[in-house]
Each structure stands twice: as C-alpha cells, then as structure tokens.
Amino acid sequence: MTPTPSSVAVPAVPPTPNTQAAPVTELLREEPIRRLRLDDLPACLRLAQNRSWPPEEQKWRFLFAAGQVYGLADPAGELAATVVLTPYGPELAVIGMVLVAARYNRQGLGRRLMQHALAEAHGTPVALYATEAGRPLYEELGFRTLIASTTHVGYFQPRPATTGPGRVRPATLADSAAIFRLDAQVTGTNRQAVLDQLLVFAEHWWVLEHNGVIKGYAAAWRNIGQVVMGPVIAPDAAGAQQLVAAAGKALGPAELLRLEVDARHPTLLAWVPQHGLQPTFTTSLMLHGTDALPGNRTQLFSPIMLALD
Ligand SMILES: CC(C)(COP(=O)(O)OP(=O)(O)OC[C@H]1O[C@@H](n2cnc3c(N)ncnc32)[C@H](O)[C@@H]1OP(=O)(O)O)[C@@H](O)C(=O)NCCC(=O)NCCS
C-alpha cells in the first residue's frame, strides 16, 4: 500500500524484466505462499522496482522486524508477489506492501496473497491504505472505503509561527511508557511490538507536553531521499501542527518531509500546504470485517506509514 512520489530518486537494484511469460496456473495452484525472511529482502526490492516503487531497503527491514512478510516465488526463483500483515492484537491487523510482478498482472496472484493474509489475520478486522490500482481487488474481497488520505511532500516552511497550548520537546527513553499508553488509548490497539521496533528505526521522536502530561507524540524516520513523519498523535489540530512544525524545524530547510493526512483532519489538511508540503497522491483507507476503527481516531493525525496504519 505504499506508493512513493515520483520525486524520489530510485534505482541501485536492476529491475526484473517484465516480458517473460510464466506458467501462472502452476504458481496459482501449486506454489506455497511462504513467510519471507530477511534473506529475501533483495528479491522484495527487485519486485518493488518491477512495479516502479523505489527500493526502500530500510523500510522493508523495519517491516520484516515489525510484521509478517509473505511471498510467492516464481519458477525462476524471483518473487512474483508479496504482502505484509501486521497484527495489533485482537482489535486490528494491517495489510501493506501488496505487490504482484507486472508480468503476472491480473492472473489472480494479488487475490491469492490477500486471501492468505486475511486467513493469517484469523478473523481480526483488517485495515489498509489502497492505491487506485489495488482498490478493485480489495473491494472484491469485501473491503469498504472509510476515508481518503493524502500524501504531502515538500520542504517545510515555518511561517507563520505555530503555537498551541502544549510544549514540544524531543522524547527520551523515559517517555516510552507514556507514549505507549497514549498510543494504545488513541488507536484502541496494542502496537507495542511495532513501536518497540520503531524506537530503533525512527531517527526522531517528539512529545507534546501540557502541564507535565504527555498529550501527543510524533516520530520521523528516513526513507530514500526524504524523512517521513509518522505517527502523529495529538489532542487536536493545533497540537498536531506544533509537532509537525517541530519536525520541520529540527530537519531544516534542506530535508524533504513527507506526511500523510486523511480527510478526518480538515484543519491540518489546510495548514500543511501553507507550510510547504504539497499534496502528491491520495490513497483510500479501507476496512475489512468492521465498519469503524477502534480507539479515538480523531487524535491520530498520521499513520506510522501507509503499510502500517
Ligand atoms: C494491485 C495488484 C496487487 C493487483 O494484483 P493482481 O494479481 O493483478 O490482481 P488479481 O489478478 O488477483 O485480481 C483479482 C481481482 O481484483 C480485481 N482487479 C484487480 N486489478 C484490477 C484492475 N486493474 N481493474 C479492475 N479490477 C481489478 C478484479 O476483480 C480481479 O478479478 P478478475 O481478474 O477475475 O476480474 C497489482 O496490480 C499490483 O501489484 N499493482 C502495483 C502495486 C500496487 O498498487 N499495489 C496495491 C497497493 S494498495
């Protein structure tokens, strides 16, 4: 589920040719879907490039640590398809990185991988961010669109000054317990295992404090050519703006910043382009097995990444 803007510089890993035909019936019926390991990461990067997605090595490493990566190999030993399932306890699981090599387009592999991930979710409600390419497949599988989300990218411009009731400061390890508690309250899920990995993966953490109580937090992690902010949790839009402004200030004018904001947050959606981050593409937040997300989502302003909610 994680498209990346065209401004990102790609290559390094040669893409797999699209031209060869493969005996897909055999793949569909015989080849087992297997849990991938870190050894499979180069093949995941080749598959991503095959679909013109950048080879986001660090992001895949994080997903291998935080989630369950599944894949299907073709007879040539290349990956034909992947999906990542990340469970957040009994309330929700998230699906991401649904990729099928272009040479196997529209031959049922996407459906098969998705069905596998849904089976591994064991009836837990599932969320995902869908590209336009993925949406028909997910609708066919019973996913319903909840809301649109817009990805913004740009160089943060700090004017006009951003103020709010709280104070933003860099987080310390001593804040972890309060961050995990707040995250569980807002998302209504247990993301502890993923946040533990994010502690190592993210370059920056900030907390929003008011009267000595942590009311919000944000993390930022480095992807190819840009820094991605996520998650952003705040009591209101003013708090979210303070966190984004703190990130923009810490990163400086030379770092490209990326932020996903969904339509539940019109105030932040209007504020972000005024501060240099422009809308680049939209995705749809879709749900399976439930009509609503758990927790108090009005305080979740940005997901960790599109592949993770
Ligand atoms: C989206 C993607 C995963 C679909 O994989 P796929 O293997 O081609 O899909 P399937 O063949 O399993 O499609 C199953 C069903 O989904 C629907 N579907 C899939 N692609 C569709 C399309 N382009 N238009 C309309 N319906 C489509 C159809 O109902 C299809 O069944 P049918 O072919 O019998 O009509 C694949 O095109 C891809 O990797 N795209 C690039 C990366 C991407 O955007 N991934 C999704 C991220 S959210």
Side-chain angles (χ1 to χ4, degrees), residues 62 66 86 88 176-184 187 189-202 205 217 219 230-231 233 304 308-309:
F62 174 66
T86 307
Y88 290 151
S176 325
I179 287 173
F180 293 159
R181 259 198 315 277
L182 178 64
D183 191 272
T187 66
T189 65
N190 181 355
R191 306 204 295 182
Q192 172 95 42
V194 172
L195 293 181
D196 280 343
Q197 295 298 331
L198 193 65
L199 278 177
V200 183
F201 176 64
W205 287 82
Y217 84 92
I233 283 182
I304 299 171
L308 280 181
D309 187 32

Side-chain angles (χ1 to χ4, degrees), residues 265-289:
H265 304 298
T267 308
L268 187 63
L269 266 178
W271 180 88
V272 166
Q274 293 163 5
H275 291 75
L277 274 58
Q278 299 309 324
T280 55
F281 59 87
T282 59
T283 48
S284 304
L285 178 54
M286 302 185 81
L287 299 181
H288 184 276

Side-chain angles (χ1 to χ4, degrees), residues 85-99:
L85 174 74
T86 307
Y88 290 151
E91 310 298 338
L92 191 70
V94 181
I95 284 178
M97 308 310 269
V98 183
L99 277 164

Side-chain angles (χ1 to χ4, degrees), residues 13-285:
V13 185
T16 313
N18 283 350
T19 45
Q20 80 206 65
V24 103
T25 318
E26 191 185 320
L27 272 176
L28 284 169
R29 301 216 178 101
E30 313 292 340
E31 189 67 27
I33 293 170
R34 64 178 175 88
R35 178 94 181 254
L36 302 184
R37 302 175 316 205
L38 209 49
D39 297 359
D40 297 300
L41 191 142
C44 294
L45 301 184
R46 286 195 294 275
L47 174 61
Q49 285 193 279
N50 177 269
R51 294 313 306 234
S52 304
W53 287 14
E56 301 167 300
E57 180 176 345
Q58 296 312 319
K59 186 168 102 181
W60 279 96
R61 279 185 188 281
F62 174 66
L63 290 170
F64 268 99
Q68 301 164 13
V69 184
Y70 296 98
L72 190 62
D74 72 8
E78 279 297 330
L79 278 177
T82 55
V83 63
V84 180
L85 174 74
T86 307
Y88 290 151
E91 310 298 338
L92 191 70
V94 181
I95 284 178
M97 308 310 269
V98 183
L99 277 164
V100 172
R103 62 193 176 279
Y104 298 118
N105 226 12
R106 211 68 196 268
Q107 294 176 66
L109 295 196
R111 185 195 287 121
R112 188 174 165 207
L113 267 283
M114 282 297 298
Q115 285 169 338
H116 184 82
L118 288 172
E120 292 293 330
H122 303 295
T124 303
V126 173
L128 57 73
Y129 284 92
T131 58
E132 275 308 297
R135 203 142 66 90
L137 167 62
Y138 308 136
E139 279 169 353
E140 193 212 56
L141 291 169
F143 282 80
R144 293 289 162 256
T145 297
L146 184 69
I147 205 155
S149 176
T150 304
T151 297
H152 298 78
V153 180
Y155 298 97
F156 186 78
Q157 292 160 10
R159 293 178 309 272
T162 304
T163 55
R167 180 180 77 98
V168 175
R169 62 166 172 80
T172 69
L173 264 186
D175 299 316
S176 325
I179 287 173
F180 293 159
R181 259 198 315 277
L182 178 64
D183 191 272
Q185 277 166 19
V186 170
T187 66
T189 65
N190 181 355
R191 306 204 295 182
Q192 172 95 42
V194 172
L195 293 181
D196 280 343
Q197 295 298 331
L198 193 65
L199 278 177
V200 183
F201 176 64
E203 258 186 36
H204 301 274
W205 287 82
W206 297 272
V207 289
L208 174 71
E209 220 172 21
H210 189 46
N211 293 334
V213 179
I214 290 179
K215 300 279 195 183
Y217 84 92
W221 52 275
R222 190 166 292 278
N223 205 356
I224 301 170
Q226 59 185 203
V227 175
V228 184
M229 264 203 99
V232 178
I233 283 182
D236 50 30
Q241 289 164 12
Q242 280 185 279
L243 285 161
V244 177
K249 192 172 163 202
L251 295 170
E255 290 271 27
L256 207 52
L257 190 60
R258 168 173 165 163
L259 182 77
E260 335 286 348
V261 185
D262 70 41
R264 284 170 298 197
H265 304 298
T267 308
L268 187 63
L269 266 178
W271 180 88
V272 166
Q274 293 163 5
H275 291 75
L277 274 58
Q278 299 309 324
T280 55
F281 59 87
T282 59
T283 48
S284 304
L285 178 54

